[in-house]
Amino acid sequence: MGVSPLHNIICRENTWYFNRRVPVEVKEYDPRKLIRYSLKTDSKKIAKRLASKENQKLEQYWSSLIETGAKHCHHRYKSLVERASLFGFKYQHVNQIAIGDFLDLFNRLKFVENDLSEKRVEAVFGTETPPEIALSEIFPIFLGLTKSVEVEKSDKQYIKWKNPRDLAMRNVILALGNKTINSFTKDDANKIKDWYLGRIKAKEISFGTADKLLVYTKTMISTVCEDRKIKFDVSHVFNKFLFNVDDKKQRPPFSTNHIINVLLNPIKLAGMSHINQALLKIFAETGACVDEIVGVRPNEIFLDGKIPYFLIKSHDRDKLKTKHRERLMPLTGYALEAFQEFPQGFSQLVSDIDSTNSAIAKYLRQNNLLETPEHSAYSLRHSFQDRLTNLDCNDRIQTDLMGHAFKDRTKYGTGATLEKKYEWMKKIQLKS
């Protein structure tokens, strides 16, 4: 395994790094591809001397792994950092301590002079270098740290949550190569941002999409570094990391006339399935999205009382977009007719919601039922709020019916009664 120290150093931005690939013969024990960390010097002579010592320790470490059959583990470094903190010291590698503040060195020596146990010495005098984690390892580690998300979401919701984060890290590797997170700098963050800017200029993505992916990148890297106790100046490295350009186009609302005479015209909807027609009618009349309507269970639909209504709420592995989306919706007009046709609701479509949304959107587009090219089915939600606003409905009732947060005010009480909501729903009812 021996390698000349000359091959174990590399210079980056006037700083020398220890740099060595893990030999094939120890891959079984140490799965890392590359070991690289700063030697904290701009002198090649000093770097060569330090690298020789680091290489010797690394060889000894690998030999011990082979002899004992143990595996390299990132968690050992993490435990040493935590133990050093318990002893009242900031964890530093012994090389950093040796060239650091003399008083700090003296305090560490004083602390261990009466107890030279291995656990004390290895923590106080930094016998482990930070684990080398390649960018390609960040996403798998992050998934392991966020397992609760998988439990809380449905399979499709989890895929939607997971895929863009996976894409974000793959983009980072495209921009930088598969370097280690330990050598990640502010310049690297700027290179990632520039890479996205190139794609924005090529009209491949929007500023808003780029910012979402940049946020995922920052969150995943900082989460992994915090868990592994890797020193990482998040506030500096990711300072001004986002574009913060609002290029999101607001979907225009449909006019009430267009909804009644075109969008819900039975002749124009003749080619759409009855179940999708029902979903569209409920969406138009209540402002509740198709995802929310499909999520309603049979025992959350009440058609027999004086005021018919349904509940929109989160379920295990079937969560709403936000906690504010939970609400009670009175049924009037087209929505009441649709639920009377389907009194058990539409929850059988929960696992196929994407296909349902796509089918509705495709039909509206192909049959020229959209008021303008900028409209979509989601415009019905804006239309619903406009109908409330145009009749001077107060903000509290609007938020209760829309499933919005109550602006910048605390939401006291339980909100409007079913009777009061029903009163407003009758005022804005589409079906005459």
Side-chain angles (χ1 to χ4, degrees):
M1 289 188 290
V3 177
S4 166
L6 285 173
H7 299 291
N8 293 340
I9 56 174
I10 186 171
C11 190
R12 291 286 184 269
E13 299 174 357
N14 206 35
T15 297
W16 286 92
Y17 289 76
F18 179 79
N19 183 78
R20 183 167 180 189
R21 293 194 174 278
V22 177
V24 175
E25 58 265 33
V26 296
K27 284 285 186 184
E28 180 184 349
Y29 304 94
D30 191 339
R32 295 175 293 177
K33 293 180 179 179
L34 178 70
I35 298 171
R36 179 184 293 170
Y37 50 87
S38 174
L39 293 168
K40 308 293 183 182
T41 181
D42 58 2
S43 166
K44 185 175 182 180
K45 182 178 180 181
I46 295 174
K48 285 165 65 177
R49 186 171 69 249
L50 292 174
S52 178
K53 293 178 181 179
E54 292 301 305
N55 191 62
Q56 185 178 9
K57 287 192 294 184
L58 187 58
E59 295 265 347
Q60 291 172 349
Y61 174 61
W62 282 334
S63 295
S64 70
L65 292 181
I66 294 170
E67 288 173 9
T68 62
K71 305 279 187 180
H72 170 78
C73 180
H74 293 324
H75 294 287
R76 173 169 165 74
Y77 176 82
K78 177 182 175 182
S79 66
L80 287 179
V81 174
E82 291 172 344
R83 198 185 312 153
S85 179
L86 287 173
F87 292 153
F89 295 96
K90 178 182 177 183
Y91 184 87
Q92 288 184 296
H93 188 259
V94 64
N95 290 344
Q96 294 174 294
I97 296 172
I99 61 174
D101 180 65
F102 176 77
L103 181 59
D104 177 62
L105 173 61
F106 175 79
N107 288 334
R108 290 174 190 262
L109 289 168
K110 192 76 175 171
F111 183 78
V112 301
E113 67 177 346
N114 295 321
D115 185 351
L116 293 172
S117 64
E118 181 181 355
K119 287 191 177 294
R120 277 197 166 213
V121 173
E122 65 183 4
V124 175
F125 282 98
T127 59
E128 284 283 320
T129 55
E132 295 295 309
I133 299 178
L135 290 173
S136 59
E137 297 177 83
I138 295 293
F139 179 63
I141 295 173
F142 178 76
L143 287 185
L145 297 173
T146 52
K147 288 182 178 178
S148 61
V149 177
E150 185 174 6
V151 176
E152 294 169 354
K153 296 182 179 292
S154 68
D155 291 342
K156 288 207 170 186
Q157 286 175 328
Y158 183 63
I159 289 171
K160 282 186 175 181
W161 177 88
K162 183 175 73 171
N163 284 352
R165 289 161 176 81
D166 184 19
L167 174 62
M169 284 313 304
R170 285 191 279 113
N171 286 346
V172 170
I173 294 169
L174 285 174
L176 303 177
N178 193 25
K179 66 184 299 178
T180 64
I181 193 60
N182 310 66
S183 58
F184 194 99
T185 65
K186 175 65 177 173
D187 283 343
D188 291 321
N190 291 336
K191 287 176 184 176
I192 296 169
K193 189 173 181 180
D194 288 343
W195 185 86
Y196 277 113
L197 184 60
R199 294 196 61 194
I200 292 168
K201 288 180 177 178
K203 300 190 182 303
E204 295 174 351
I205 60 172
S206 66
F207 281 105
T209 298
D211 272 351
K212 283 183 181 179
L213 294 170
L214 289 171
V215 168
Y216 297 151
T217 298
K218 176 183 175 181
T219 300
M220 288 187 287
I221 290 176
S222 58
T223 298
V224 171
C225 287
E226 182 181 358
D227 179 76
R228 294 294 193 262
K229 304 299 181 184
I230 296 173
K231 186 178 180 182
F232 193 90
D233 190 347
V234 173
S235 59
H236 169 66
V237 172
F238 292 124
N239 183 38
K240 297 182 180 179
F241 192 46
L242 305 183
F243 292 102
N244 288 320
V245 175
D246 186 8
D247 62 350
K248 188 175 181 180
K249 294 181 179 179
Q250 181 82 2
R251 291 289 184 187
F254 288 110
S255 65
T256 300
N257 179 65
H258 186 86
I259 296 173
I260 295 171
N261 296 311
V262 179
L263 209 59
L264 300 185
N265 186 317
I267 296 174
K268 295 182 181 296
L269 292 181
M272 180 184 281
S273 71
H274 287 300
I275 197 166
N276 285 354
Q277 287 187 46
L279 290 169
L280 189 64
K281 290 176 180 178
I282 297 168
F283 194 172
E285 197 75 85
T286 68
C289 300
V290 173
D291 305 53
E292 296 174 323
I293 301 165
V294 166
V296 177
R297 304 313 196 242
N299 64 344
E300 294 160 358
I301 301 167
F302 304 88
L303 302 176
D304 298 330
K306 182 180 177 181
I307 300 177
Y309 68 97
F310 67 102
L311 298 175
I312 298 175
K313 58 186 292 187
S314 284
H315 303 90
D316 291 340
R317 297 178 64 80
D318 182 19
K319 303 293 184 183
L320 293 173
K321 188 175 181 180
T322 70
K323 65 180 181 179
H324 306 291
R325 288 294 184 100
E326 291 201 354
R327 59 199 190 276
L328 179 154
M329 293 298 300
L331 286 167
T332 61
Y334 291 111
L336 178 57
E337 281 187 359
F339 268 114
Q340 286 172 336
E341 184 180 356
F342 295 93
Q344 295 300 302
F346 314 89
S347 56
Q348 72 274 19
L349 299 175
V350 165
S351 61
D352 202 29
I353 186 61
D354 291 339
S355 298
T356 301
N357 272 317
S358 296
I360 293 173
K362 183 178 179 180
Y363 186 91
L364 298 180
R365 187 173 61 253
Q366 290 185 343
N367 290 274
N368 299 316
L369 300 185
L370 299 174
E371 198 162 1
T372 71
E374 286 70 43
H375 282 78
S376 72
Y378 195 82
S379 298
L380 288 169
R381 189 160 164 78
H382 298 292
S383 305
F384 176 79
Q385 180 153 36
D386 275 2
R387 297 202 304 278
L388 289 168
T389 302
N390 291 335
L391 290 178
D392 295 324
C393 179
N394 71 63
D395 287 348
R396 178 59 189 269
I397 291 178
Q398 282 197 43
T399 57
D400 284 351
L401 290 172
M402 289 291 296
H404 285 161
F406 193 36
K407 293 187 176 179
D408 298 322
R409 289 171 284 175
T410 303
K411 198 170 185 176
Y412 292 108
T414 57
T417 63
L418 175 61
E419 290 75 17
K420 182 58 70 174
K421 288 181 179 178
Y422 184 64
E423 179 184 320
W424 278 100
M425 291 295 287
K426 292 292 287 183
K427 287 181 180 180
I428 64 168
Q429 179 177 312
L430 292 167
K431 184 174 175 61
S432 57

